[in-house]
Amino acid sequence: MSSKILVVDDEPDFESLIIRNFRKKIKTKELDFIFARDGVEALEILSEEPSIDIILTDINMPLMDGLTLLDNLQLHYPEIKAVIISAYDDMEKIRSAMNRGAFDFLTKPIDFPDLDITIKKTLANVQQLKENKRLKQEKNEAEAANKAKSVFLANMSHELRTPLNAIIGYSEILLEDAQDLGYEDFVHDLDNIHTSGKHLLTIINDILDLSKIEAGKMDVHWESFDIMALIENVLATIQPLIEENGNTLEIICEDNQEPIVADPNKMRQVILNLLSNAAKFTENGKIILKFKVVNNDEDFISQNGDCNSKDKMLVLSVADTGIGISEEKIDSLFQPFTQADNSTTRKYGGTGLGLAISRHFCKMMGGDIAVVSEVNKGSIFTVKFPVPETGFIN
């Protein structure tokens, strides 16, 4: 596709000079020149030819000079780049033209190799601006679509969860009735319905949580609570999954058991997600949950400017002897819907949302998650975040 150049000059021989010096590029349709004798004619052409890429214009012309043309370009066609071509003794006007938005200038008599270089440079700038505009528009459209999706899912929370909770509740009642009445033929199927319903609810909860985070509808609720009591609550949920794969769990508490201030629900989900992953990806191995509250962590504080050096730090880690993660996969580990690789998803299942949500929750509470891992040796996930004084709840 030819690049269209509008040449505005009232000299009779200028058109023939341009055509003669650029005849090869005109013949190969690399460049397409359109000519006007003054600014008025140039504006008429622009109104009919919106695809003009650049303008080469003289300054001293009848009816409308080049400076007035530049003013009109700035007002009506700001995306079009103009190059001034004028006599050497017009330097004051050339300076004025540059102040009015001209991209570059050349002096007469024209050095055509220099003009060719200037045209190439100007066209490259125009193409880059067009590409940037296209990418920005696509980015805005993608962000708008993603936000609309997130808002929709966040608002659909009740509509999705309510019927599913009904399925889980009724299947649980029917399962208990079948067991009491001795209908053993139904027990297995009803148990599958109940288990699948709970699994689906977990997936929906993860998707809705991520959508709420992306839509900016997820809040932090600060409370003072006993971290050990919260961990014991998590263990009641996670213990069957740990035992299912023949794993053992060790808890190492280096805390003085003082209450901490955080969002207990988000803290519970972070610990549950980390222990679930450890249990899922470890067989006949060992999982260690270790936590402690320290006075501060200078390295962490220096990387997180919002942290108060007087805040205590909660440091919690989950180590396992599982399959591990290769170094090249760690960077994408916290991306939504991502697991170590496709084979992991096929073998172990899951949506790849747990770690993404956990990192979001930690960041919302002023912290973060880090991981070190070695393939076939295991992984250690470490959570750190500042813990305000128990007397201060924001």
Side-chain angles (χ1 to χ4, degrees), residues 267 270 274 297 300 303-304 307 313-317 334 355-371 381-386:
M267 193 68 220
V270 170
L274 295 179
D297 184 329
F300 183 85
Q303 296 170 15
N304 296 267
C307 298
M313 300 292 302
L314 174 66
V315 182
L316 183 146
S317 65
F334 294 97
L355 288 176
I357 292 171
S358 296
R359 168 164 273 184
H360 276 298
F361 283 173
C362 287
K363 286 183 176 293
M364 290 174 72
M365 293 186 286
D368 205 353
I369 299 180
V371 58
F381 286 84
T382 302
V383 174
K384 290 183 180 180
F385 63 83

Side-chain angles (χ1 to χ4, degrees), residues 73-350:
L73 292 178
Q74 286 284 82
L75 185 61
H76 301 292
Y77 307 98
E79 71 281 0
I80 297 179
K81 298 298 178 183
V83 175
I84 297 298
I85 300 176
S86 193
Y88 183 77
D89 58 2
D90 281 348
M91 289 308 296
E92 187 64 35
K93 289 183 178 179
I94 289 174
R95 189 177 298 110
S96 178
M98 298 302 291
N99 290 334
R100 295 173 191 234
F103 179 75
D104 205 345
F105 75 92
L106 293 170
T107 57
K108 294 181 179 179
I110 295 294
D111 181 335
F112 281 94
D114 192 19
L115 176 58
D116 186 29
I117 292 171
T118 302
I119 288 174
K120 287 179 180 178
K121 179 177 68 174
T122 309
L123 284 173
N125 181 267
V126 168
Q127 293 303 320
Q128 185 61 56
L129 290 175
K130 287 182 178 179
E131 180 66 10
N132 291 344
K133 183 178 180 181
R134 183 187 67 80
L135 292 174
K136 184 178 180 180
Q137 182 178 350
E138 290 181 355
K139 178 176 179 287
N140 290 339
E141 290 173 354
E143 288 177 347
N146 187 57
K147 184 175 182 180
K149 177 266 298 179
S150 298
V151 170
F152 170 76
L153 285 174
N155 291 333
M156 284 293 290
S157 173
H158 176 74
E159 285 73 11
L160 286 169
R161 285 190 177 110
T162 300
L164 190 54
N165 279 322
I167 293 171
I168 294 170
Y170 280 118
S171 65
E172 189 172 358
I173 292 171
L174 291 172
L175 179 60
E176 291 175 356
D177 288 346
Q179 291 171 337
D180 292 342
L181 297 172
Y183 296 150
E184 297 299 327
D185 293 343
F186 298 124
V187 169
H188 179 70
D189 292 335
L190 289 170
D191 185 55
N192 283 340
I193 293 172
H194 184 254
T195 302
S196 298
K198 289 174 67 177
H199 179 63
L200 182 57
L201 181 61
T202 300
I203 294 173
I204 289 176
N205 285 339
D206 284 347
I207 294 174
L208 291 174
D209 281 345
L210 185 63
S211 299
K212 280 187 175 182
I213 292 167
E214 292 177 346
K217 291 191 173 185
M218 181 69 74
D219 298 321
V220 177
H221 301 283
W222 299 98
E223 296 180 24
S224 176
F225 62 93
D226 183 347
I227 183 67
M228 193 62 208
L230 184 141
I231 288 175
E232 289 173 354
N233 179 270
V234 172
L235 293 182
T237 304
I238 199 68
Q239 195 65 42
L241 181 58
I242 291 175
E243 295 174 353
E244 183 180 326
N245 281 351
N247 297 311
T248 59
L249 174 64
E250 180 182 354
I251 300 176
I252 301 175
C253 174
E254 300 178 15
D255 185 24
N256 58 6
Q257 298 296 306
E258 290 183 3
I260 67 168
V261 174
D263 186 320
N265 290 329
K266 290 178 177 57
M267 193 68 220
R268 182 184 188 279
Q269 189 162 345
V270 170
I271 298 172
L272 185 61
N273 284 340
L274 295 179
L275 287 175
S276 295
N277 281 347
K280 185 193 301 184
F281 298 116
T282 306
E283 294 182 2
N284 301 313
K286 188 174 185 178
I287 301 168
I288 300 174
L289 170 62
K290 182 187 299 186
F291 66 94
K292 60 182 176 180
V293 176
V294 298
N295 287 332
N296 57 44
D297 184 329
E298 295 298 338
D299 291 337
F300 183 85
I301 290 170
S302 66
Q303 296 170 15
N304 296 267
D306 294 336
C307 298
N308 190 325
S309 60
K310 295 181 180 179
D311 285 343
K312 293 183 178 181
M313 300 292 302
L314 174 66
V315 182
L316 183 146
S317 65
V318 174
D320 64 61
T321 57
I323 61 175
I325 307 158
S326 61
E327 187 174 347
E328 61 270 18
K329 299 294 183 182
I330 286 180
D331 289 340
S332 62
L333 199 61
F334 294 97
Q335 298 298 317
F337 305 103
T338 301
Q339 288 190 343
D341 55 48
N342 291 332
S343 62
T344 300
T345 305
R346 287 194 300 269
K347 182 176 180 181
Y348 297 98

Side-chain angles (χ1 to χ4, degrees), residues 62-80:
L63 297 182
M64 182 186 289
D65 65 12
L67 297 179
T68 307
L69 175 60
L70 284 173
D71 290 337
N72 278 273
L73 292 178
Q74 286 284 82
L75 185 61
H76 301 292
Y77 307 98
E79 71 281 0
I80 297 179

